[in-house]
Amino acid sequence: MSTTPEFREHRYVLNMGPQHPSTHGVLRVILEMEGEYVMDPQPVLGYGHRMHEKMAESRSWPGFLPNAARMDYLASLIYNHGYVGVVERLAGIEATPRAEYIRVITSELNRLQSHLLWLGVLVLDLGAFTPIMYTFEDREKILDILEDVTGSRLTYCYMRVGGVVRDIDDKFIERTREYIKWQRSRMPMYDKLVTGNIIFRKRVEGIGEFTPDLARRYGLTGPVLRGTGVAYDIRRAEPYSVYPDFDFEIPTETGGDCLAAYLVRVREIEQSLRILEQALDRLPEGPFLAKVPKKIKLPAGDATYAVESPRGELVYHLTADGSEVPYRMKIRVPSFSNLSILPEVCRGMLLSDLCACMGSLDLVIPEIDR
Amino acid sequence: MTDSFLPPELLRILFAAICAIVVVFGNALVMGYLERKFAGRFQRRPGPMEVGWQGLLQLAVDGVKLVGKQLVIPRQADKVLYRIAPIVSFAPAVLPLLVIPFSPKLQGRDFDIGLIFILAVVAINVLAILIAGWGSNNKYSLLGAMRSVAQNVAYEIPMLLTLLSVILVTNTFSLKGIVAAQEGLWFILVMPVAFLIFFVATVAETNRAPFDLPEAESELTAGFMTEFSGMGFSLFFMAEYTYMFIACSLTVILFLGGWHGPPLPYAEYTSALWFFLKVYFLLIVMIWIRWTFPRVRFDQLLNFCWKYLVPFSLVHLLVTAVVLKI
Amino acid sequence: MKDYFAQIFTGGKSLLVGMMITLREFFRPVVTVQYPRERLPISPNYRGHTILVRDEEKPEKHRCISCKMCERECPSGCIGLQGEKREGVKGLVLVRYRLDFTKCSLCGTCVEVCPTDALDYSNEYRHVGFRREDFHYDLLAMVEEQK
Ligand code: SF4
Ligand code: SF4
């Protein structure tokens, strides 16, 4: 699209959000449009700001645990994991092996449900109403399993420093195995219904392309980055917990477009299932919560802990001054960086493509606003 | 009837008009229910269940709710255009029903140019959408309206071209004549490609998914209907279902043999049953399509029309003409 | 030219395949339930709001010793309790235990910190109210209502 000055006067501003159906939450994007073409999208953040980082600095560290779950409501357990990880690293506590396995299992279940929701929502953004209902059927199974062990369905507060709150039992293992089988049997259906569909392919192929270089400059991580061919996954790049024990692939695609990000996520579903299987097979016996002192003072110093959330790299950076209250807590959330590429990639795009593009970035707005 | 206070012809027209309106409302009710029920089942849920047995009265309740709602007129809107848009959309929807032959005898009036009449009247709907989009003074509405105009103009062409093939065979524009010509052999068997093109074009003409760009809700919230509430909205809603009904009726008349079917007693009237069955079958297919596919993009929509439908229908027309000549 | 027709063919086929899938799902049973009329069994491990565990052996029917640990540790500050000294009873007697459920984040700290395991999660997930005060639960009254 040409952006000659005489076109400029035909531009108008379209305000998308904060209550627009495809911004999923309270994201607002101010679009400068020329006809149907988006010439300058500017995301406006902060509608869901709850100052989580500040809250971390104003209470003793265990009090922040429930907050961690509420930043990204689709990956609460992974956020839990990151937070207990950083505290453990700073305080020099080790979780028991069984606890680490349980953490990985629940985290992967959490990742699966996030990817399933995203799959439905992306297709919903593209105008198909039905696949989301099918993914919800699968997702419901995960939520039932997790509810049984964690006690909640969305904002889990399950992990503790040194381990987890409740042990998993045989029923859990059995149900998870059943679920793995079920999910495997469902994937060919999504392949045919969504991936193979010509309308879907035409809507995502070649849309919102970017290079690894650009992705790196904007700090993109997660499936969006892996869609450009960079096999960067914290579970491999900076292994944490017991991930090194497992044999799994980091799926990559080379397109760098929405389709590539889509395919990466769909393949990740299979990889997560593989991790789950292995973890269930090798689950060690032992206590699920290490013996830790009742009150843990955070020693003065810094610690950083990175985990792979379904959307990319999630980093907790904790600075403590020797008291129970953290001095500073910095959280690097993946969606924030992923969103920042929107103005660059979506310039000159059709409005419909912008929706597809935002859908494939898999934004979770409360995580961005924090 | 000779001593009635009105001339019989006028009475007949009055009766036909009332029937047409009954069909419009009845169809909107049935379609509203079917759409929800089928959508539910496609998505593994039961659909409306609360009001009446299996939610049968849901639509009636919704109607009451919509009538009872306040008609919000946005301050910035063009008051006149905003008010007349739903009426402009709804009123022409009734007219085509007067010339559609439901059975050999059940027809308001047999026009010699019935087909052209329907196409002409239905085209007014584009104007209504444009008025609605412009009048509500909302950018989303306007975008929806613009899309709708481009889409309807584009898809009218393949539709008319395939129609011409049928006309070449039947030599008449009278709907009754066209149906009569299909006694024994439905045109879908003679020209399956034409049927496909025509059906796709009608889906696009009636702004149904996957071509529902004017109201694409994930992009334009509700497109040209964004600002409408209460009765304004429900008039659009009913008009949409009526246009779908008309489009499917046309398809049935042109390709699926209209009222023809296994013989029934009093066939002159009762064969309307076959007509309605076929129409609702097509409508259900439309619902099925809507709840399966994602939406196409705007440029792809036009591309599809100009690159695929138009050439195919042109070739089809040529082939039909040549075959007829031989 | 070949591509052109191939695309029509593969595209058309993919659409038909998609429609067959939705048709198949159409005839499979419904997976939802009519919620207020039917209810799914809820996991016994579900964590609803906290309650005082009923203990028949205790004279007060609960184990709380009014140590205020939960009140102090609660990150959301949603617990308000009061103990009272009574004639002839050792320790404090709980006279008020208020849970402001609008603020509770179900973190579980109170349950874990309690020295006498007096607290537990309820299985209640249907909370309805028109005012904030509807969610200010009186756990002491609740434990008395329980059988
Ligand atoms: S669960 Fe957490 S927030 Fe709720 S009352 Fe207990 S300590 Fe407070
Ligand atoms: S911590 Fe337990 S015993 Fe102490 S006041 Fe709270 S409920 Fe009562």
Side-chain angles (χ1 to χ4, degrees):
Chain A
M1 270 306 285
S2 61
T3 46
T4 47
E6 58 265 30
F7 264 111
R8 282 202 100 94
E9 65 192 56
H10 296 296
R11 286 194 180 180
Y12 61 96
V13 173
L14 186 67
N15 183 24
M16 193 167 161
Q19 298 112 332
H20 189 278
S22 63
T23 53
H24 303 298
V26 283
L27 174 66
R28 175 177 173 207
V29 190
I30 296 177
L31 307 167
E32 214 177 304
M33 310 265 292
E34 264 179 41
E36 283 247 353
Y37 287 92
V38 178
M39 299 318 289
D40 191 15
Q42 287 303 337
V44 181
L45 307 179
Y47 287 89
H49 182 49
R50 287 153 299 166
M51 51 179 199
H52 278 304
E53 288 183 11
K54 188 71 197 163
M55 272 157 100
E57 295 161 22
S58 57
R59 54 178 62 176
S60 66
W61 67 265
F64 187 69
L65 253 173
N67 290 51
R70 278 154 183 81
M71 271 181 281
D72 180 347
Y73 50 83
L74 289 179
S76 319
L77 279 167
I78 295 168
Y79 269 67
N80 269 203
H81 198 161
Y83 184 65
V84 295
V86 75
V87 175
E88 280 170 7
R89 192 167 280 177
L90 186 63
I93 297 169
E94 286 242 333
T96 60
R98 185 175 173 89
E100 289 287 9
Y101 268 78
I102 296 175
R103 282 179 185 177
V104 166
I105 291 169
T106 46
S107 291
E108 288 307 314
L109 281 173
N110 207 205
R111 185 186 320 278
L112 278 167
Q113 66 87 9
S114 169
H115 276 1
L116 283 172
L117 181 85
W118 155 84
L119 175 65
V121 167
L122 172 69
V123 191
L124 186 68
D125 279 353
L126 299 178
F129 304 97
T130 305
I132 190 170
M133 298 293 172
Y134 301 164
T135 59
F136 260 72
E137 194 191 338
D138 304 345
R139 190 170 170 262
E140 209 60 22
K141 290 183 192 294
I142 304 183
L143 294 188
D144 282 345
I145 295 174
L146 286 179
E147 179 191 2
D148 206 25
V149 61
T150 65
S152 25
R153 295 179 75 84
L154 196 67
T155 45
Y156 314 102
C157 185
Y158 177 57
M159 302 190 187
R160 294 287 185 274
V161 165
V164 293
V165 171
R166 191 198 299 269
D167 201 3
I168 58 177
D169 50 11
D170 291 341
K171 192 164 133 242
F172 174 91
I173 293 172
E174 200 179 305
R175 283 174 85 181
T176 313
R177 282 193 201 283
E178 247 164 54
Y179 163 73
I180 293 171
K181 220 184 280 151
W182 162 265
Q183 191 60 51
R184 288 233 166 94
S185 75
R186 289 283 273 192
M187 294 322 283
M189 190 268 279
Y190 294 124
D191 248 15
K192 283 191 216 141
L193 181 62
V194 182
T195 321
N197 188 298
I198 175 120
I199 301 176
F200 173 79
R201 279 204 103 92
K202 291 261 173 211
R203 283 296 302 274
V204 290
E205 225 162 19
I207 302 303
E209 268 181 288
F210 46 84
T211 56
D213 195 43
L214 190 69
R216 199 165 290 140
R217 267 196 286 142
Y218 278 92
L220 260 64
T221 47
V224 202
L225 175 67
R226 293 194 280 279
T228 64
V230 183
Y232 180 74
D233 186 317
I234 303 291
R235 288 175 292 176
R236 267 290 147 74
E238 238 176 88
Y240 60 97
S241 193
V242 283
Y243 277 111
D245 292 4
F246 303 119
D247 169 33
F248 63 100
E249 278 166 38
I250 308 294
T252 52
E253 294 283 332
T254 45
D257 52 0
C258 293
L259 180 66
Y262 168 84
L263 291 174
V264 166
R265 285 202 183 88
V266 171
R267 286 169 59 195
E268 271 181 24
I269 293 181
E270 171 55 28
Q271 296 308 320
S272 288
L273 292 175
R274 270 180 70 189
I275 298 178
L276 271 181
E277 256 180 350
Q278 295 171 33
L280 288 179
D281 284 341
R282 295 188 209 155
L283 188 68
E285 292 296 322
F288 59 92
L289 192 58
K291 289 236 174 326
V292 290
K294 260 242 146 76
K295 290 240 181 265
I296 303 170
K297 279 220 156 53
L298 296 175
D302 292 71
T304 308
Y305 199 85
V307 290
E308 180 74 19
S309 105
R311 278 153 278 285
E313 179 176 355
L314 163 71
V315 184
Y316 281 95
H317 183 90
L318 184 65
T319 308
D321 55 3
S323 71
E324 263 209 355
V325 183
Y327 176 74
R328 171 85 174 97
M329 167 88 108
K330 160 79 187 140
I331 305 159
R332 186 251 186 230
V333 290
S335 286
F336 183 80
S337 316
N338 290 2
L339 174 68
S340 67
I341 203 167
L342 195 77
E344 174 91 31
V345 172
C346 295
R347 193 154 290 146
M349 214 178 224
L350 277 169
L351 180 62
S352 326
D353 290 341
L354 181 91
C355 293
C357 209
M358 288 199 328
S360 91
L361 286 177
D362 190 13
L363 302 170
V364 166
I365 313 302
E367 173 188 66
I368 299 174
D369 289 342
R370 269 168 291 157
Chain B
M1 280 237 199
T2 39
D3 53 8
S4 82
F5 63 99
L6 278 174
E9 187 55 27
L10 206 59
L11 207 66
R12 190 183 141 88
I13 290 178
L14 204 67
F15 184 65
I18 291 172
C19 284
I21 290 175
V22 168
V23 170
V24 166
F25 281 92
N27 173 62
L29 282 181
V30 174
M31 275 306 288
Y33 181 70
L34 280 184
E35 172 112 49
R36 290 182 187 195
K37 251 337 198 205
F38 273 76
R41 290 311 305 249
F42 282 127
Q43 303 182 342
R44 313 279 308 276
R45 50 190 181 86
M49 287 294 268
E50 284 302 305
V51 195
W53 182 78
Q54 291 280 319
L56 266 173
L57 296 176
Q58 184 66 47
L59 256 283
V61 176
D62 279 358
V64 172
K65 181 196 78 178
L66 283 170
V67 171
K69 274 202 168 170
Q70 186 191 2
L71 248 179
V72 183
I73 301 182
R75 206 180 321 136
Q76 302 275 314
D78 186 317
K79 303 269 178 322
V80 180
L81 292 186
Y82 183 83
R83 272 170 197 264
I84 64 169
I87 303 167
V88 175
S89 172
F90 182 71
V94 187
L95 290 177
L97 294 173
L98 294 176
V99 297
I100 288 178
F102 296 106
S103 77
K105 281 276 173 69
L106 283 178
Q107 185 183 18
R109 199 111 177 54
D110 186 26
F111 265 5
D112 281 346
I113 49 156
L115 193 55
I116 297 185
F117 174 73
I118 290 189
L119 293 174
V121 171
V122 166
I124 297 177
N125 190 31
V126 188
L127 184 68
I129 293 180
L130 189 60
I131 292 177
W134 182 260
S136 41
N137 202 354
N138 174 318
K139 288 164 196 162
Y140 287 115
S141 306
L142 189 59
L143 277 176
M146 293 305 179
R147 285 177 172 194
S148 152
V149 173
Q151 178 178 345
N152 279 298
V153 170
Y155 275 82
E156 214 126 272
I157 294 163
M159 199 162 139
L160 291 177
L161 285 174
T162 44
L163 271 183
L164 277 183
S165 309
V166 178
I167 302 304
L168 277 181
V169 178
T170 59
N171 265 326
T172 172
F173 278 117
S174 151
L175 296 172
K176 213 171 190 169
I178 293 173
V179 178
Q182 297 181 61
E183 179 115 51
L185 186 63
W186 298 356
F187 284 157
I188 185 175
L189 299 174
V190 190
M191 314 182 258
V193 180
F195 167 74
L196 265 183
I197 296 175
F198 189 79
F199 189 60
V200 171
T202 52
V203 173
E205 278 284 291
T206 49
N207 299 335
R208 285 290 289 187
F211 307 110
D212 59 343
L213 293 157
E215 46 198 283
E217 66 202 54
S218 55
E219 297 153 26
L220 302 180
T221 57
F224 64 92
M225 293 203 281
T226 308
E227 297 284 1
F228 286 89
S229 60
M231 267 328 269
F233 168 77
S234 48
L235 281 181
F236 272 121
F237 179 77
M238 273 192 288
E240 182 186 324
Y241 281 134
T242 313
Y243 284 120
M244 278 169 66
F245 181 81
I246 293 164
C248 288
S249 303
L250 263 189
T251 322
V252 168
I253 289 168
L254 291 170
F255 295 100
L256 294 177
W259 64 72
H260 293 306
L264 289 169
Y266 306 109
E268 306 241 284
Y269 295 98
T270 49
S271 52
L273 178 70
W274 298 125
F275 184 86
F276 278 106
L277 273 182
K278 289 174 196 170
V279 169
Y280 277 99
F281 173 73
L282 284 184
L283 285 171
I284 287 170
V285 171
M286 274 191 172
I287 294 175
W288 181 12
I289 291 175
R290 169 168 183 193
W291 296 98
T292 305
F293 298 137
R295 184 180 306 117
V296 297
R297 205 172 59 206
F298 187 57
D299 55 329
Q300 289 165 354
L301 174 93
L302 297 182
N303 263 345
F304 179 65
C305 178
W306 295 111
K307 284 195 190 154
Y308 296 90
L309 293 187
V310 171
F312 267 85
S313 47
L314 266 177
V315 170
H316 191 271
L317 180 61
L318 256 170
V319 171
T320 322
V322 170
V323 169
L324 279 184
K325 197 76 201 161
I326 306 166
Chain C
M1 202 60 190
K2 213 168 130 203
D3 274 5
Y4 178 83
F5 285 105
Q7 199 164 35
I8 295 178
F9 181 73
T10 52
K13 201 177 126 201
S14 77
L15 297 183
L16 281 183
V17 167
M19 284 178 72
M20 280 305 134
I21 288 176
T22 40
L23 186 66
R24 199 182 63 212
E25 298 289 321
F26 183 87
F27 290 109
R28 289 180 55 202
V30 165
V31 288
T32 54
V33 293
Q34 294 304 100
Y35 163 59
R37 298 178 207 296
E38 301 165 49
R39 290 217 237 157
L40 290 175
I42 190 132
S43 159
N45 296 340
Y46 179 78
R47 301 192 312 175
H49 67 81
T50 51
I51 43 168
L52 286 167
V53 186
R54 189 167 172 93
D55 190 342
E56 298 296 342
E57 283 158 24
K58 298 276 154 125
E60 306 93 1
K61 305 292 178 210
H62 61 75
R63 292 196 284 257
C64 178
I65 52 170
S66 317
C67 69
K68 293 211 171 200
M69 281 285 277
C70 51
E71 189 184 293
R72 236 185 345 263
E73 292 292 322
C74 172
S76 318
C78 50
I79 301 174
L81 64 86
Q82 214 161 26
E84 210 179 63
K85 195 87 194 100
R86 287 241 176 100
E87 277 304 308
V89 188
K90 212 170 87 204
L92 294 168
V93 178
L94 187 67
V95 290
R96 193 172 62 101
Y97 195 115
R98 302 275 289 203
L99 172 70
D100 181 357
F101 195 57
T102 56
K103 289 191 201 153
C104 172
S105 53
L106 287 173
C107 63
T109 311
C110 52
V111 176
E112 281 157 39
V113 87
C114 178
T116 56
D117 287 337
L119 289 171
D120 199 3
Y121 307 104
S122 70
N123 238 334
E124 185 53 53
Y125 60 97
R126 308 210 299 175
H127 303 280
V128 186
F130 292 102
R131 297 165 308 141
R132 266 160 195 264
E133 293 72 43
D134 292 346
F135 299 99
H136 293 184
Y137 297 128
D138 186 349
L139 299 194
L140 200 56
M142 278 183 186
V143 78
E144 265 147 33
E145 277 162 28
Q146 276 175 27
K147 285 198 290 290

